[in-house]
Amino acid sequence: QVQLVESGGGLVQAGGSLRLSCKASGSIVSFYNMGWYRQAPGKQRDLVATVNPGGNENYADPVKGRFTISRDNDRTTLYLQMSSLKPEDTAVYYCNTAVPSPRQPWGQGTRVTVSS
């Protein structure tokens, strides 16, 4: 069980950029497929980007070409660089393993609001 703390969200105009960070209390980022999720009020929490321990990245179609997932050299931090933001990107963003488990709780997330 690893603590996950997301940060970096905020209010940004459409077309702008934000970089989200996810700090893990352990080495989960190094040993598991990690993902960024987002959830808008009343909607499902959707997986939008993943990276495996080998560095292979995958993206959901709505964010492909605009978001980049990456890891820091300390093995404990996951990033999501978001560019060309759209109002539809407005959500609370979370990091976790790419396959959620009851044994791994969610963090509080970080809120991203994109104004039109």
Side-chain angles (χ1 to χ4, degrees), residues 20-43:
L20 308 183
S21 298
C22 170
K23 182 67 176 179
S25 62
S27 59
I28 185 173
V29 173
S30 296
F31 295 112
Y32 290 88
N33 297 335
M34 297 297 298
W36 281 97
Y37 301 75
R38 66 185 182 186
Q39 185 174 32
K43 296 185 178 180

Side-chain angles (χ1 to χ4, degrees), residues 35-114:
W36 281 97
Y37 301 75
R38 66 185 182 186
Q39 185 174 32
K43 296 185 178 180
Q44 295 277 340
R45 179 152 46 196
D46 295 325
L47 184 65
V48 298
T50 64
V51 62
N52 71 12
N56 298 113
E57 307 159 27
N58 289 104
Y59 302 93
D61 286 341
V63 309
K64 192 172 299 181
R66 301 187 297 116
F67 291 10
T68 302
I69 188 171
S70 62
R71 299 169 299 180
D72 206 357
N73 290 334
D74 65 6
R75 306 185 304 163
T76 62
T77 308
L78 189 71
Y79 300 101
L80 186 68
Q81 177 66 51
M82 307 185 296
S83 300
S84 302
L85 284 163
K86 305 175 180 180
E88 305 93 279
D89 297 320
T90 295
V92 177
Y93 284 73
Y94 303 85
C95 64
N96 211 322
T97 53
V99 179
S101 170
R103 294 186 175 185
Q104 178 54 55
W106 298 90
Q108 295 301 305
T110 185
R111 183 176 298 275
V112 172
T113 303
V114 184

